[in-house]
């Protein structure tokens, strides 16, 4: 509890000082994850953000502010909006994409800790987060978790 208060105060300080806006996206993710139940997944979520956004260069990242390529869902409330006929969610700012991922973690009862990147990828696959073969996604994750 005490740590969460410190983290919240730190985030308020960063926002007030305008420093949060200047941080690279992976640092913003790390800071935002600290007060989350999923803070132990931090390095996996950062790696996942790089995989899903093409290392922050994909068109969905640039045009939809989508860090994680989350599709529009019919069965849960999501932040952001559906944009035209796009299957992917649009966010007014990039960190809203992280909020959507954390909401999805809650919705799917994603574990708050995993033993390694393989288990993280298995948990994503078990919840149908990605369609490609598990080994292929694991390979990509390993590029960023274990460079």
């Amino acid at each position: 509890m005490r740590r969460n208060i410190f983290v919240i105060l730190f985030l308020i300080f960063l926002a007030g000082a305008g420093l949060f806006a200047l941080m690279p996206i992976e640092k913003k993710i790390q800071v935002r994850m600290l007060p989350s139940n999923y803070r132990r997944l931090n390095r996996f979520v950062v790696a996942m953000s790089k995989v899903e956004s093409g290392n922050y260069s994909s068109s969905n990242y640039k045009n939809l502010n989508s860090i994680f390529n989350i599709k529009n869902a019919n069965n849960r409330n999501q932040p952001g909006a559906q944009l035209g006929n796009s299957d992917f969610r649009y966010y007014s700012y990039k960190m809203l994409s992280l909020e959507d991922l954390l909401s999805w973690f809650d919705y799917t009862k994603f574990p708050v800790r995993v033993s390694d990147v393989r288990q993280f990828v298995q948990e994503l696959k078990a919840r149908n987060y990605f369609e490609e073969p598990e080994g292929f996604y694991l390979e990509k994750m390993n590029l960023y978790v274990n460079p």
Side-chain angles (χ1 to χ4, degrees):
M1 179 68 173
R2 191 173 179 164
R3 178 181 174 176
N4 285 347
I5 292 170
F6 173 74
V7 170
I8 291 168
L9 290 174
F10 182 67
L11 289 173
I12 292 169
F13 166 76
L14 288 177
L19 298 176
F20 192 75
L22 300 175
M23 287 180 164
I25 193 72
E26 58 266 21
K27 294 294 180 199
K28 288 180 184 178
I29 292 169
Q30 290 171 344
V31 169
R32 171 54 190 92
M33 294 279 298
L34 288 176
S36 158
N37 291 336
Y38 303 100
R39 66 186 157 277
R40 290 178 185 91
L41 303 178
N42 207 328
R43 69 187 182 115
F44 304 124
V45 171
V46 169
M48 181 182 176
S49 74
K50 292 178 179 183
V51 167
E52 291 293 334
S53 69
N55 204 15
Y56 312 121
S57 65
S58 72
S59 61
N60 281 354
Y61 178 79
K62 293 175 182 174
N63 301 326
L64 300 177
N65 291 322
S66 179
I67 302 171
F68 299 97
N69 275 336
I70 297 174
K71 293 185 176 181
N72 294 303
N74 296 324
N75 53 356
R76 69 178 178 93
N77 289 329
Q78 289 180 276
Q82 183 166 351
L83 194 61
N85 292 330
S86 175
D87 289 338
F88 296 96
R89 203 77 179 152
Y90 165 78
Y91 306 97
S92 53
Y93 57 97
K94 289 180 174 58
M95 292 307 289
L96 201 52
S97 178
L98 176 61
E99 298 306 320
D100 197 4
L101 179 70
L102 296 176
S103 168
W104 180 81
F105 279 176
D106 287 341
Y107 180 79
T108 62
K109 297 180 178 21
F110 203 87
V112 295
R113 65 176 72 182
V114 294
S115 58
D116 58 17
V117 66
R118 178 178 299 281
Q119 185 186 1
F120 183 79
V121 169
Q122 288 171 343
E123 296 291 347
L124 289 173
K125 186 66 172 176
R127 289 160 177 79
N128 298 311
Y129 185 83
F130 59 89
E131 297 171 1
E132 61 199 291
E134 190 175 308
F136 185 64
Y137 199 88
L138 178 61
E139 248 180 71
K140 293 191 293 185
M141 286 287 291
N142 273 321
L143 291 174
Y144 300 110
V145 173
N146 304 307

